Amino acid sequence: MSADDLILHYFEDIKEGQSASLAKTISESDIYLFAGLSMDTNPAHVNEDYAQTTVFKTRIAHGMLSAGFISAVLGTRLPGPGAIYVNQSLKFKAPVRIGDTVTATVTVTGLVPEKKFVTFRTTCTVAGKVVIEGEATVMVPARG
Amino acid sequence: MSADDLILHYFEDIKEGQSASLAKTISESDIYLFAGLSMDTNPAHVNEDYAQTTVFKTRIAHGMLSAGFISAVLGTRLPGPGAIYVNQSLKFKAPVRIGDTVTATVTVTGLVPEKKFVTFRTTCTVAGKVVIEGEATVMVPARG
Amino acid sequence: MSADDLILHYFEDIKEGQSASLAKTISESDIYLFAGLSMDTNPAHVNEDYAQTTVFKTRIAHGMLSAGFISAVLGTRLPGPGAIYVNQSLKFKAPVRIGDTVTATVTVTGLVPEKKFVTFRTTCTVAGKVVIEGEATVMVPARG
Amino acid sequence: MSADDLILHYFEDIKEGQSASLAKTISESDIYLFAGLSMDTNPAHVNEDYAQTTVFKTRIAHGMLSAGFISAVLGTRLPGPGAIYVNQSLKFKAPVRIGDTVTATVTVTGLVPEKKFVTFRTTCTVAGKVVIEGEATVMVPARG
């Protein structure tokens, strides 16, 4: 299977408005494993006694964990393999708690042919409410 | 131990130019665990045969994994517990490979007293070379 | 960033009575991952049917998992990087269950200048009740 | 399967000099997962650039990771299920590196019938060299 076989979308295939999503229900182990990987053991993520004294009333997921789902959509659905992450902006709008189902959605907002760049609106929602919003730019391989 | 005992820095304690860092040598298991957590199983991260055909010549870490180290510095060192992530921008400047030691550094660039916001320049470097650069805004609890 | 930049406390900086803590709410995934890492798959940790027949009435965490938090405080807070673990004694006083928040605290009890040794009282508590108590000795780098 | 079916040794079955072992080759992922679980992200364990500047010349495993193997022998081999950890002392004699095979061995040194306590000499060795030594006491269920 050559590298090209893995490419889902070439630059020429991508249209404004095109979108894709992935969703995951956040588990305690997601948060604990991410804390371990990233070294972000802030008590808001791993200390329930502390978390109950915060404005969020219980442990919350790392913003970057949900942001990872945006990376997953870009990396495996749209554009998918072959694309190179150029930049990502993230506004953390609301907390994500254990048991919440986070849906990451990317929507094409523009194309820059000379650089083979595609720009996306990227959001994470929980029960339809935006928890993360931002923009991403990705370089996509051209077919030609 | 009350929540306040965990706070390392209140808003009033933070000065422009203040900085903190954390570093980690990226292991294969970091990348594979992050792929599992985030669902970002793009072959560039988990398929060495494919990765050798890419411009990077071998598997690379997810940009968001290194971005997680920025979150760790903000969440556990500066400002540390009590801080709330408001936003983060990320420019992915260079790939990170297995065995690379990523140093995430945050440096205070501004203070917004009326909102208790602190702005940071945030970078990830490998052997002194910038692999990620961006800005972050964090809301920090006030002592008063 | 040189190794010295990572040192939080040199031997000369440490005073009797100085203390530091870290806390974590024990999750099922913590216990299961520790069971996998350590190979300690004693049913008291991973078999709920069995655990309900024991004096503890449910699965309990490995004593060495909580002891790992003592190591974390010594290794990342006080003294922090540069310190070398010499010895640790542990008395397992009470079980720790899934959902318990364990606070590991180390308190300086003595200094041995000629060896650059620092001795600590080390405890793990859950809701203020001691679950592990012991002493530790750590060799700490000198500034001079 | 009743709880008793899982018991390998009752107090009456245990003789002085009896011993058991378990061994594991330390992987990078063992160290990284333990760092995540315990929150002990001391750079000596997760930062190869830093570790090369230390006396150990490369990253080393957490002492408590190897100590976990002692817990595994006591918990799953001798005495095995039903035993309750009373105490453990640990002297960290030499570092353990990635790729080292650690053998944890426990040897019965004494029996305290009135308390159903069994005392053990506990060691961890790498290529026959002692890296951890200590004593443990475990309470073992009686058959009668």
Side-chain angles (χ1 to χ4, degrees), chain D residues 29-78:
Chain D
S29 62
D30 280 327
I31 295 173
Y32 274 45
L33 281 166
F34 187 85
L37 282 180
S38 66
M39 304 184 291
D40 186 350
T41 54
N42 182 309
H45 306 306
V46 298
N47 181 340
E48 185 62 22
D49 289 4
Y50 168 86
Q52 288 177 2
T53 70
T54 69
V55 65
F56 305 124
K57 298 305 173 206
T58 183
R59 286 165 294 170
I60 58 171
H62 305 74
M64 285 297 181
L65 174 56
S66 297
F69 302 149
I70 294 172
S71 170
V73 183
L74 296 170
T76 66
R77 294 294 187 282
L78 179 68

Side-chain angles (χ1 to χ4, degrees), chain A residues 28-29 32-33 46-49 59, chain C residues 23-25 27-30 33 101:
Chain A
E28 186 179 54
S29 61
Y32 275 45
L33 280 167
V46 297
N47 181 339
E48 184 61 22
D49 290 5
R59 286 165 294 171
Chain C
K24 191 180 189 184
T25 302
S27 70
E28 185 181 61
S29 60
D30 282 327
L33 279 166
T101 298

Side-chain angles (χ1 to χ4, degrees), chain D residues 1 4 33 69 101 127:
Chain D
M1 192 165 64
D4 288 358
L33 281 166
F69 302 149
T101 298

Side-chain angles (χ1 to χ4, degrees), chain B residues 25-41:
Chain B
T25 302
I26 298 287
S27 71
E28 185 181 60
S29 60
D30 281 327
I31 295 173
Y32 276 41
L33 279 165
F34 187 84
L37 283 179
S38 67
M39 306 181 288
D40 187 348
T41 56

